[in-house]
Amino acid sequence: MKSFKLLTTGFLALSLAAASASAATLDTVKERGKLLCGSNGKTAGFSAPNAKGKMSGFDVDFCRAISAAIFNDPDKVEYIPLTSKQRLTALQSGEIDVLSRTTTWTMSRDSGMGLSFAATTIYDGQGFMVHKDLGVTSALELAGAAVCTRTGTTTELNMADFFNKNKMEYKPVVFEDRSEEKSAFFSGRCDVMTADRIAMAGIRANAPGNPDDYIILPEVISKEPLALAVRSNDSEWFSLVRWVAYALINAEEMGVTSDNLAKMLKSEDPAIQRLLGVNGNLGEKVGLKKDWAANAIGAVGNYSEIFERHVGPNSPLKIERGINALWNQGGILYAAPIR
Amino acid sequence: MAIIHSEPLPSRPAPASNSGLTGWLKGNLFSSPFNTALTLICVYGLWQAMPGLVNWFFLDATWSIFGPEGNANEITKQTVAVCKEAGGACWSLISVKHRFMFFGFYPQDEQWRPLLTCFLLIGMVLISGIRAYWKPWLIVAWLAAIVVCFILMMGGVAGLTYVATSKWGGLPLTLGLAVFSVVFALPLGIALALGRRSQMNLIRTLCVSYIELVRAVPLISILFMASFLLPLFMPEELTINKLLRAQIGIIMFAAAYMAEVIRGGLQAIPKGQYEAADAMGLSYWQATFKVILPQALKVSIPPLVGTIIGTFKDSSLVVIIGLFDVLNTTRVAFSSDPPWSPFYLEAYFVGATVFFIFCFGMSQYSQWLENHLDTGHKN
C-alpha cells in the first residue's frame, strides 16, 4: 500500500511537472527546429505517399503551412503516422504538436479530453452510394438493401441509427478493410455502400468501369467537420494553428494565391496588406513574424489551391467543392477576418 | 540334365508396372481406389483452375510501365488503362511502387542505407547460422552490427543526413524488429528458463510471474500498452520513441515464449546428466553452460524455430500502432493511390512472397541444423 502511494505521488509529481513545463509549444517547436505533425499516411488525397515516397496531401499541407508560418520553410515537419485509435492519445501525451488527420470535431473530443479543435479544414458527412441500375433516388427507398460498411467505425453506428429511425430493414455487410469493402460493392455483393461522402466520391471516381454507373444519394446522415486539433493547455499555440488555417481561407477570399503573391504584396487593399503583414504586425499576436501568412501562402497556396491540388475535380479523388466552397460562393467555408 | 550356371544370373529388371513413370504413378497416385478418386478430383480441380491462373499471372499480365518518364500522374493514368484493358495481373504496380513497398517513407535519395541495413542483417543471420562461428566474437560482431545498423538508418553522423524513426518503414523495419527481437529475447529467454528452475525462491517466483503474466496476454495488448498507456504516464516533454516501445514490447513477449520452449528442453535432459556433472565437481555455471544448455538447446531447436518464425510474422502486428512494416507499406502502396487500388492482389502476392522466403528459409535451416547436430541420443 505504501509503495502504491509512493508510486501515485511520483506520477502526480511527474504530471504536474509536465503541466508547468509545457506552457509554450511554440518555443519547444522552435527549439526543436521542426513541427511534429500527427498524420495518417494512408488516406488518398489527405495524407499519403506521393510518387517520390514523401508524405503529401490535403491534411499534410496544413502542417506545411504552419511550418512555413513559423520557420519560413514548409519542410520543417516530421510526420508521425498514427492510427485512428492512437491519434488523440498521441496529442494528449505530447508526442505530436498538432493533429491533422481527418479528425471529426465532436463535443466529447473537444471537452474533457484536454484537446481543442482549432479550425475546421473540410466539411464532410456520411452518405450512401448505390448501383445506378437499382433505380433508387433517395436513401429512404433503401429498405431491405444489403449495405457495405466497415466494422467498428462511427459510420456503422450512424447507418444503424438511420435505418432504425426510418423503420427500415437492412442487411449490414461489414468489412475490416476499405479495399475489401470496395470490391464487394463493385462486384454487386451489396446494393449500397455507406461512408463519408468525400471518401466515397473518390471511390466512385476510380470505379472499375464507368463512374456513371454509380450514384451518391443526396441524403447526408451525419455531420463530419474534419478539424485541426491541439492540446488545450496552450492558448497561444491554439491561436497560431487556428489563424494559419484561417489565413489560407481568407487568402482565397481575397484572391491571394501562391502565384500572384509578389504582386499582392504591393496591393493597395488594406485587408490584403494586413493579411500579408505589409501594414501592421498581426503575426506578433501569435508569436510569429509579420510575414507569417505570406510565407504560409507562398509555400502551399491558399485554401482553394490546396483543395484543387489534392482532392479537387482534377485530382484522382475528383471531389467537387460543394459545401466546402466559400460562404459567398454558396458554401459554408467561413473564416473570421484577419484584422 | 541339369544346367549349372557358373555365375549367378543377372537380376531381371522389375516388372514395367512397378518401375519408371508407371510405377511411380501406381505407387503414389493410384495405389488404392480411394487414392485414385482423390487424384482424379485434384486433377480435375487443377484442370479447372490452372488456365485461369496462368492467364492471370502470365498471359494477360502487364509488366511494363507506360507514359512519359518523370510524369507520375501520366504514367499512372496510361499504365492503369493498359492494365484494365489487358485484364490480367498488373505487375506494373510493383515497378511503380516497389520503392515505397520496400522502404516506406524513407527519403528516396538515401534508400541505399536501408538496403545496406537489410543485407547486413541478413548476412549476420546467415553467419550466425554456421556452427563453426559460434564463438564469443560472434557476440561482439552482433553488437557492432547493431550499432552500424542504427547509424546507417538514423544518420546524423559521418556525413549521413538524419532520418527520423517516423520515416522508417518497409522491409528494414520488419527485419529489424524480428532480428533484434530474437537477438535480445533468446538470452533473456534462456535466463528466464534457468531462473524458473532455480532453487532460489525469490528468483524462481520472479521468473514464473513474469513468464505467466506475459504469456497470459496477447501481443496486441502489450503493443497497445506500450503505445497508449506508457506515454500517458510519462511527462509531456519526455517521449520514448514509438519504434523503441514496440521493439521492447515484442522482445518481452518473445522472451516469455522462448523461456518456456527452453524449459521444455531443460526438462528433457536426463537427471543422470545433472548428476554426472555434479560428480565431476563442476560448478553450477560450468555444468549449465558446458553440459546442460548445449543439450537442452539442441532438443529445443524445432519449437524454438517455430517461435522465431512466429515472432517474425507477429512483427506485422505493429500496424495497429501505426508503424509501417512491410505488409503495411505493401497495403498503402495501392490503397492510398485510388487509380491503383483495384490491383491489391498483385501487391499482396509480393508481400506474401517476402514473408514466405524468410519463413521457409528459417524452417529449412532448422531442419538442416537438427540433422547436423544429431549426435544420436534418439533411441
Side-chain angles (χ1 to χ4, degrees), chain B residues 135-177:
Chain B
K135 299 271 160 59
W137 62 259
L138 193 62
I139 297 175
V140 183
W142 264 111
L143 292 177
I146 291 171
V147 173
V148 172
C149 284
F150 263 99
I151 292 176
L152 265 179
M153 289 298 283
M154 182 91 82
V157 288
L160 299 171
T161 42
Y162 171 75
V163 179
T165 54
S166 55
K167 284 189 177 166
W168 298 11
L171 194 57
L173 189 86
T174 299
L175 279 181
L177 280 175

Side-chain angles (χ1 to χ4, degrees), chain B residues 6-80:
Chain B
S6 56
E7 285 168 27
L9 283 173
S11 49
R12 280 184 296 173
S17 62
N18 278 339
S19 67
L21 185 62
T22 352
W24 184 87
L25 283 176
K26 203 175 155 192
N28 291 295
L29 299 179
F30 300 102
S31 57
S32 68
F34 180 65
N35 281 351
T36 308
L38 279 185
T39 303
L40 290 178
I41 290 172
C42 290
V43 167
Y44 179 74
L46 281 178
W47 183 257
Q48 291 293 312
M50 278 320 273
L53 272 179
V54 169
N55 274 343
W56 187 81
F57 254 92
F58 303 107
L59 302 181
D60 294 341
T62 313
W63 301 83
S64 36
I65 303 174
F66 301 89
E69 199 169 322
N71 183 345
N73 285 341
E74 202 52 35
I75 289 178
T76 299
K77 214 167 133 190
Q78 297 191 15
T79 313
V80 167

